[in-house]
Amino acid sequence: VWDLVSGGRALASTVNHAKTVTSLFLAASGRSLVSAGLDGQIKVYDVGAFGVQASLRLGSPCLAAALVGDTHLLTAHADTTVVVRKRSKATGDLGAASVLPQSSGLTAGANERLAGFGGVPGMVVEPQARAEQHLGTNPGTYRYFLRGGRHLPSQGDFVVSARRKTQFAPYDRSLRKFRYKEALDEALKSHEPAIVAAVVEDLVQRGGLRAALASRDELSLEPVLRFLARHIANPNMSRTCARMANLLLELYDESAWGSELNSNLLLRLRQVIEQELTSQQALTKLAGTIEAIVANIIQV
């Protein structure tokens, strides 16, 4: 306690709570100070000597406390209840009060229930009765964790959707299981050159491209040859296709191309490569001619 008038001089210090103090209330008379804490205790101090005049142990952590006159004590608890206690005239202790008088300044309406408090305004609920009224809604109970499960969102509410399990593509699942041949087949079934190129590059990094192309029969070689014949002239795919074509020629001899379909695809692949080489040679000659012309213009 500090004296602000004299420059913040410390007047007294006291430690009477086992846990955090959550509320301090000075009575209207200025003679009593009430403190409440998470340890479920209420302490009433004499402002003159700062000694404890009264102590009360509650059933749950207390968040706030207030004195109404010198006769009634109001406490708010962590379990959403508000309790009112009345000082007994005979003993002077704070005991249970049935109904507060209308002149106490509290909200009237004894026939209406206060939502969330589990009691009638102005009525003190016994600790045992409070526990029974809030049975199943206290933190830590099974019903507490199921609260709000049947509530529907209102208009304008933002609904957070549940996180969906990541769905992997078939070729990704095969790669995760180190089934390289199956992964290449699934990528070829997608008919997407970018996907096939990505899978081939992944196989190269894993060192599994040879295993993916080896041990194939005539039927399983057909989609590989068809892909090569269609995309080997594509500048974006030429490097990938050339690597696959060289590896195929290394793995298989002429007997592997015995079927008519594979022979036609291989012939088509050869024609595409020859056309591409012819085009590259023509472009090289054209580039050399342009360089010679530019050099003569610069000299002149």
Side-chain angles (χ1 to χ4, degrees), residues 23-39:
S23 176
L24 289 174
F25 182 83
L26 183 64
S29 60
R31 295 177 298 176
S32 299
L33 179 68
V34 180
S35 66
L38 295 180
D39 54 358

Side-chain angles (χ1 to χ4, degrees), residues 179-257:
R179 299 175 182 174
Y180 298 144
K181 181 179 179 181
E182 182 180 337
L184 182 58
D185 291 338
E186 293 294 342
L188 291 171
K189 290 179 182 178
S190 67
H191 301 289
E192 293 289 341
I195 293 178
V196 178
V199 172
V200 171
E201 292 298 328
D202 197 347
L203 291 174
V204 171
Q205 295 296 328
R206 294 168 178 249
L209 183 58
R210 178 180 292 271
L213 294 175
S215 304
R216 288 180 175 268
D217 54 10
E218 298 178 356
L219 186 62
S220 59
L221 277 174
E222 184 268 333
V224 180
L225 292 175
R226 188 179 298 277
F227 175 81
L228 294 177
R230 180 175 299 176
H231 299 286
I232 196 169
N234 186 349
N236 296 327
M237 302 291 299
S238 58
R239 180 179 178 182
T240 301
C241 293
R243 180 178 294 170
M244 295 175 63
N246 291 331
L247 194 54
L248 283 176
L249 295 176
E250 181 183 343
L251 291 173
Y252 299 96
D253 53 11
E254 296 181 357
S255 61
W257 323 113

Side-chain angles (χ1 to χ4, degrees), residues 71-135:
T71 57
H72 294 84
L73 174 66
L74 285 73
T75 56
H77 298 262
D79 56 358
T80 71
T81 57
V82 173
V83 181
V84 183
R85 288 177 171 82
K86 182 179 179 181
R87 185 188 299 272
S88 174
K89 294 182 179 180
T91 61
D93 297 332
L94 291 171
S98 57
V99 180
L100 292 178
Q102 296 295 331
S103 60
S104 61
L106 298 179
T107 304
N111 295 327
E112 300 177 359
R113 298 186 62 82
L114 188 59
F117 290 168
V120 178
M123 178 176 291
V124 174
V125 183
E126 296 293 339
Q128 184 177 1
R130 265 192 303 115
E132 293 177 355
Q133 290 180 1
H134 290 271
L135 182 63

